[in-house]
Amino acid sequence: MFAAWLLSASVVLAGCAGPDIAELESDAESAFDTLVAAAGAVEEGVLRTLEVASSEVQRCGEQDRGVQRAFTAVGSVSVAADYAAEDALVEAVTAAIDPEEWTAIDADAVAGKEGAWVDESGIVATVSYDSPLLVIAVFTPCLDAR
């Protein structure tokens, strides 16, 4: 009887353990890599630079009690790029966000130049373009640091 109770308690506790942080970070990094690859695949000469920063852990949540990992990249669009090329860049990056996996939080907020999406595990992806800068960021959910 005690063994059955112990087994059921361990199953309940395992279910309460929350998401696997390593898996969330891996999924966020994969989503980030997909967006960066889409930006890098645009017509040559449109994106002058694309700098990928090292991922970093940030404090988040109420009274900064949580942590999340952030993946960011900043691209500089060539001054020779016309409006159509700029639009194509933003469209290429945002097209990499699968609507079957991501829900729009704030897509097309400013004439298609920025948006934010969340997946079912709470990972958030953002794309923002304000000439001449393209910013791509992906964040894991804010998890309790305790």
Side-chain angles (χ1 to χ4, degrees):
M1 175 80 160
F2 179 72
W5 178 84
L6 188 58
L7 177 62
S8 64
S10 67
V11 169
V12 168
L13 288 176
C16 294
D20 178 36
I21 294 172
E23 185 176 338
L24 285 171
E25 288 179 354
S26 175
D27 291 348
E29 184 174 24
S30 177
F32 176 73
D33 290 345
T34 298
L35 296 174
V36 168
V42 298
E43 182 181 329
E44 189 175 327
V46 174
L47 198 56
R48 197 179 82 213
T49 63
L50 184 59
E51 295 182 27
V52 176
S54 297
S55 70
E56 62 180 46
V57 174
Q58 302 174 338
R59 304 298 291 179
C60 59
E62 193 172 311
Q63 297 179 2
D64 285 341
R65 290 185 181 163
V67 293
Q68 70 184 158
R69 183 163 298 277
F71 300 85
T72 57
V74 176
S76 176
V77 175
S78 171
V79 294
D82 60 16
Y83 292 126
E86 293 173 357
D87 290 344
L89 168 63
V90 175
E91 287 177 23
V93 176
T94 58
I97 297 173
D98 183 350
E100 296 289 322
E101 296 179 25
W102 296 87
T103 302
I105 299 171
D106 187 24
D108 300 322
V110 181
K113 298 293 186 187
E114 62 184 46
W117 299 263
V118 63
D119 76 359
E120 65 182 24
S121 64
I123 295 170
V124 173
T126 65
V127 176
S128 178
Y129 178 70
D130 188 7
S131 186
L133 297 177
L134 172 72
V135 178
I136 299 169
V138 177
F139 305 91
T140 61
C142 185
L143 300 173
D144 193 358
R146 292 181 225 161

